[in-house]
Amino acid sequence: MFGTREELCHELERMFTPDEPLLLLVWTPGSVEAACDPEEERVSDEELPALMAALGDIPMDTYQEAGLTREDVRRLLRSMRVASRRQVTVPAALLNRVIDWAVREVTARESQCFEAGQPVPCSVALLGEDLRTLKARAA
């Protein structure tokens, strides 16, 4: 899971009963940065939230079985960097339809959070920013 303390507490309340014992291991922005080799793989301010979100998306059974090491963090950062440089070509009309659909979905998710009195998850906010950037570049 990735999000603010408030978002994570809400999600934990939804997933577990109040009396259920849990073991919680925390990765802060500082600990994620420390896991990255400053000589080779210093994580930028732009990459850090995306890296933390990607780490938070790792399925529970995966990290429970294999753990999450500094090398895993570094490997994921390298993978994200390769993916960020990858270029694809798609028809502009198709790209705009997909962007418009995604904007509607993000807006709906933001509205649900607002109506429920909950904060918008960081991952949703980041996606909204990415969509605005993509829409501007596709114009």
Side-chain angles (χ1 to χ4, degrees), residues 90-138:
V90 296
L94 172 61
L95 179 59
N96 282 314
R97 282 196 308 272
V98 171
I99 292 170
D100 290 344
W101 173 83
V103 166
R104 286 192 302 274
E105 290 298 313
V106 167
T107 301
R109 181 77 186 273
E110 290 170 338
S111 296
Q112 290 170 347
C113 292
F114 179 75
E115 290 170 4
Q118 298 295 323
V120 175
C122 293
S123 58
V124 174
L126 287 171
L127 180 56
E129 290 173 22
D130 288 344
L131 288 168
R132 284 187 289 282
T133 300
L134 189 55
K135 184 75 170 177
R137 292 184 75 181

Side-chain angles (χ1 to χ4, degrees), residues 1 8-17 20 60:
M1 275 188 275
L8 296 177
C9 287
H10 175 72
E11 188 65 17
L12 288 170
E13 285 177 353
R14 190 186 65 73
M15 293 173 63
F16 303 101
T17 63
E20 189 169 354
M60 189 183 303

Side-chain angles (χ1 to χ4, degrees), residues 68-105:
L68 181 61
T69 67
R70 288 175 172 248
E71 183 53 37
D72 295 328
V73 175
R74 292 174 184 151
R75 187 178 311 112
L76 184 55
L77 178 58
R78 286 190 299 268
S79 173
M80 288 173 56
R81 286 177 173 167
V82 167
S84 72
R85 292 187 300 268
R86 186 170 167 255
Q87 304 250 335
V88 297
T89 303
V90 296
L94 172 61
L95 179 59
N96 282 314
R97 282 196 308 272
V98 171
I99 292 170
D100 290 344
W101 173 83
V103 166
R104 286 192 302 274
E105 290 298 313

